Amino acid sequence: GMSLRTLIGVVSRASLFVSVSTGPMHLAAAFKVPTVTLHGPTDLENHITRFCPYACPHQTVRSPIACPCASSKTCENAVCM
């Protein structure tokens, strides 16, 4: 895996960061790197208002395909992503 120091070096020099909603996405936002966050077909209203990056340009992309799985923890067919 990549060390935190290496991750910081790579992310801080990026011109765009595309990711699922993760710690590294927030790290990119802290460096004011524009971010695109990918989400499955979940209800994002709460997530967008509470957990989106505030310090940089940001776009959220949500899958239009319904998820056939009961939960993300038991995903067997990730067609929604």
Side-chain angles (χ1 to χ4, degrees):
M2 186 180 294
S3 73
L4 181 58
R5 182 173 294 200
T6 301
L7 177 63
I8 289 170
V10 170
V11 168
S12 67
R13 292 177 185 89
S15 56
L16 177 67
F17 191 82
V18 179
S19 174
V20 295
S21 183
T22 62
M25 182 266 305
H26 290 284
L27 181 63
F31 283 104
K32 306 218 184 315
V33 175
T35 61
V36 176
T37 308
L38 308 174
H39 292 274
T42 57
D43 179 16
L44 295 177
E45 189 161 333
N46 189 33
H47 182 83
I48 289 171
T49 58
R50 292 182 63 200
F51 304 112
C52 69
Y54 298 108
C56 67
H58 175 75
Q59 180 66 45
T60 298
V61 177
R62 181 179 175 208
S63 174
I65 300 170
C67 185
C69 303
S71 118
S72 61
K73 293 179 181 177
T74 60
C75 183
E76 296 175 9
N77 185 5
V79 296
C80 60
M81 291 303 286

